[in-house]
């Protein structure tokens, strides 16, 4: 998933590569160039994640551009690999854009996988969640919760330590492979943060030890948790972003009954980031996609999918958020303890968790 120096447009090739779209004239030129390309290649965007089904539909309806959706269940590391593997591929297998965990943004930039672009709402994106040169930028955030199938779990866990109890045998899963998927990496970190009493520097090791114990107790299920596995009972408890868990609750419509619980401690907020591939086959469509996502319309569309858009404060100040959307969000008090790890902290614990999962936990999640 994703400005400009006003008035500057660079033309490259027959399509007229638009360097920025800070003005209405530039945006019109970008729309024209994107429509000439006619297609956009996305990756790792499940329709029930952050309301992406409606986001994609809105973009297609507004601009008439075909969207090729690659590997919806890919993790952040998989997205970077897809760029690397398709550097010389101009077909639908080469992603134009990516939506990755925040710590993967600097990693992708350092590897030369991204191209810079600053959207017209650039100034309203907080400085601490964007690359100053526009190579990547935060798009939305949520907190990790326990998604619980209450038809199978009589008493829902209230905190991380509860997950170790015998009553949760063969019940607890992560929503991804912690060796590659940001959501799962953050889940391990969050558990560790709880057990390390909020010490960010000790949380990665504590999280690995926690999941090692969870595995030894027979409580950990090495299956990637999804709505289907929750409903089927394969993974009755999933550590999952609030927006995914809440969307599943709506989709399942009470069959089974789903509780979404913000833990009492170790509440971790995760920011995801958008970026454009340095090898994007459709660079103008990619930039237009970014303009759409970071517009008021795009940001509110994410909120409909229970994600807090990165421009949430800006939209609130401008009274752009419908009151009925606010009422559907969990109690704001549950989020007051949320910790927003810095990019440097995320890079450090991501490296520790991905490299040591096999040796410390020894569970092959798939």
């Amino acid at each position: 998933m994703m400005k400009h120096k006003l008035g500057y447009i660079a033309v490259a090739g027959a399509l007229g590569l638009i360097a920025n779209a800070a003005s209405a004239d530039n945006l019109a030129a970008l729309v024209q160039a994107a429509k000439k390309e006619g297609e956009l290649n996305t990756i790792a965007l499940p329709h029930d994640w952050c309301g992406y089904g409606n986001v994609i539909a809105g973009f297609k309806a507004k601009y008439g551009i075909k969207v090729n959706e690659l590997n919806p269940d890919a993790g952040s590391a998989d997205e970077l690999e897809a760029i690397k593997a398709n550097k010389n591929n101009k077909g639908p297998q080469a992603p134009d854009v990516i939506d990755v965990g925040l710590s993967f943004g600097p990693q992708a930039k350092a590897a030369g996988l991204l191209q810079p672009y600053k959207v017209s709402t650039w100034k309203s994106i907080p400085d601490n969640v964007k690359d100053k040169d526009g190579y990547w930028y935060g798009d939305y955030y949520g907190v990790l919760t326990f998604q619980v199938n209450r038809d199978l779990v009589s008493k829902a866990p209230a905190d991380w330590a509860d997950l170790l109890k015998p009553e949760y045998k063969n019940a607890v899963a992560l929503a991804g492979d912690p060796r590659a998927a940001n959501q799962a990496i953050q889940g391990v970190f969050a558990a560790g943060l709880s057990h390390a009493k909020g010490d960010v520097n000790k949380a990665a090791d504590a999280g690995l030890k926690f999941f090692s114990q969870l595995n030894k107790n027979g409580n950990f299920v090495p299956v990637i948790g999804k709505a289907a596995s929750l409903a089927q009972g394969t993974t009755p408890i999933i550590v999952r972003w609030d927006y995914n868990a809440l969307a599943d609750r709506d989709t399942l419509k009470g069959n089974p009954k789903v509780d979404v619980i913000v833990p009492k401690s170790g509440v971790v907020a995760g920011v995801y980031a958008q970026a454009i591939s340095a090898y994007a086959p459709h660079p103008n469509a990619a930039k237009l996609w970014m303009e759409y996502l970071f517009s008021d319309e795009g940001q509110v569309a994410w909120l409909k999918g229970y994600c807090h858009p990165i421009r949430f404060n800006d939209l609130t100040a401008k009274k752009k958020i419908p009151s009925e959307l606010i009422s559907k969000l969990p109690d704001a008090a549950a989020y007051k303890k949320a910790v927003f790890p810095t990019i440097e902290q995320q890079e450090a614990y991501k490296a520790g968790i991905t490299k040591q999962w096999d040796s410390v936990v020894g569970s092959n999640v798939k």
Side-chain angles (χ1 to χ4, degrees), residues 158-240:
D159 209 352
W160 292 96
D162 293 338
L163 299 180
L164 295 169
K165 294 177 179 178
E167 62 200 81
Y168 301 124
K169 197 171 186 68
N170 294 317
V172 184
L174 289 165
D177 182 347
R179 296 164 295 188
N182 179 65
Q183 185 172 197
I185 293 167
Q186 302 295 344
V188 176
F189 172 78
L193 190 66
S194 172
H195 284 74
K197 301 187 185 305
D199 189 334
V200 173
N201 295 321
K202 296 180 179 179
D205 288 340
L208 288 166
K209 290 176 182 177
F210 173 83
F211 273 92
S212 176
Q213 189 61 52
L214 197 71
N215 192 39
K216 289 175 182 176
N217 289 4
N219 292 15
F220 183 62
V221 184
V223 171
I224 295 175
K226 303 176 183 178
S229 63
L230 181 88
Q232 293 163 1
T234 308
T235 60
I237 301 172
I238 306 174
V239 177
R240 200 150 163 79

Side-chain angles (χ1 to χ4, degrees), residues 10-17:
V11 179
L15 291 178
L17 183 62

Side-chain angles (χ1 to χ4, degrees), residues 73-350:
D73 294 325
S76 295
D78 300 323
E79 296 181 63
L80 304 194
E81 288 303 316
I83 294 178
K84 293 178 185 177
N86 291 279
K87 288 182 177 180
N88 300 313
N89 185 349
K90 296 301 179 183
Q93 296 79 25
D96 287 304
V97 292
I98 57 174
D99 179 351
V100 294
L102 192 65
S103 65
F104 287 85
Q107 178 182 334
K109 178 186 177 183
L113 301 178
L114 308 178
Q115 61 176 283
Y117 181 71
K118 293 184 178 181
V119 293
S120 53
T121 53
W122 179 253
K123 290 183 179 179
S124 63
I125 301 172
D127 289 342
N128 64 336
V129 289
K130 65 186 179 186
D131 175 68
K132 64 182 180 64
D133 297 317
Y135 281 89
W136 53 264
Y137 16 103
D139 46 15
Y140 55 80
Y141 64 91
V143 300
L144 285 162
T145 59
F146 304 146
Q147 181 185 29
V148 184
N149 179 334
R150 290 306 303 275
D151 287 357
L152 296 177
V153 179
S154 58
K155 184 179 180 181
D159 209 352
W160 292 96
D162 293 338
L163 299 180
L164 295 169
K165 294 177 179 178
E167 62 200 81
Y168 301 124
K169 197 171 186 68
N170 294 317
V172 184
L174 289 165
D177 182 347
R179 296 164 295 188
N182 179 65
Q183 185 172 197
I185 293 167
Q186 302 295 344
V188 176
F189 172 78
L193 190 66
S194 172
H195 284 74
K197 301 187 185 305
D199 189 334
V200 173
N201 295 321
K202 296 180 179 179
D205 288 340
L208 288 166
K209 290 176 182 177
F210 173 83
F211 273 92
S212 176
Q213 189 61 52
L214 197 71
N215 192 39
K216 289 175 182 176
N217 289 4
N219 292 15
F220 183 62
V221 184
V223 171
I224 295 175
K226 303 176 183 178
S229 63
L230 181 88
Q232 293 163 1
T234 308
T235 60
I237 301 172
I238 306 174
V239 177
R240 200 150 163 79
W241 292 124
D242 55 351
Y243 46 84
N244 290 334
L246 291 164
D248 288 348
R249 185 186 65 184
D250 289 353
T251 301
L252 293 170
K253 299 178 180 177
N255 185 27
K257 180 184 177 184
V258 175
D259 276 1
V260 179
I261 299 160
V262 178
K264 291 182 178 179
S265 64
V267 182
V268 172
V271 179
Y272 276 72
Q274 293 285 333
I276 299 174
S277 168
Y279 307 94
H282 315 104
N284 295 303
K287 291 170 183 177
L288 185 60
W289 171 249
M290 295 303 166
E291 290 290 345
Y292 181 74
L293 294 181
F294 288 90
S295 68
D296 292 355
E297 180 181 350
Q299 294 277 290
V300 170
W302 270 331
L303 189 59
K304 290 178 181 177
Y306 296 113
C307 285
H308 282 71
I310 208 67
R311 295 181 53 231
F312 185 83
N313 291 343
D314 180 53
L315 292 171
T316 301
K318 294 177 179 177
K319 297 182 179 180
K320 295 285 189 178
I321 299 178
S323 58
E324 63 268 21
L325 291 185
I326 297 295
S327 66
K328 287 185 176 183
L329 296 173
D331 184 357
Y335 291 79
K336 288 184 178 179
K337 293 182 180 179
V339 174
F340 285 79
T342 66
I343 293 174
E344 293 74 21
Q345 289 169 338
Q346 288 190 53
E347 288 178 328
Y349 67 70
K350 181 184 75 174

Side-chain angles (χ1 to χ4, degrees), residues 52-75:
Y52 259 119
N54 289 329
V55 172
I56 293 169
F59 177 77
K60 291 194 291 188
K62 187 165 188 172
Y63 296 113
I65 293 173
K66 179 182 178 182
V67 178
N68 302 309
E69 300 178 47
L70 312 174
N71 193 3
D73 294 325

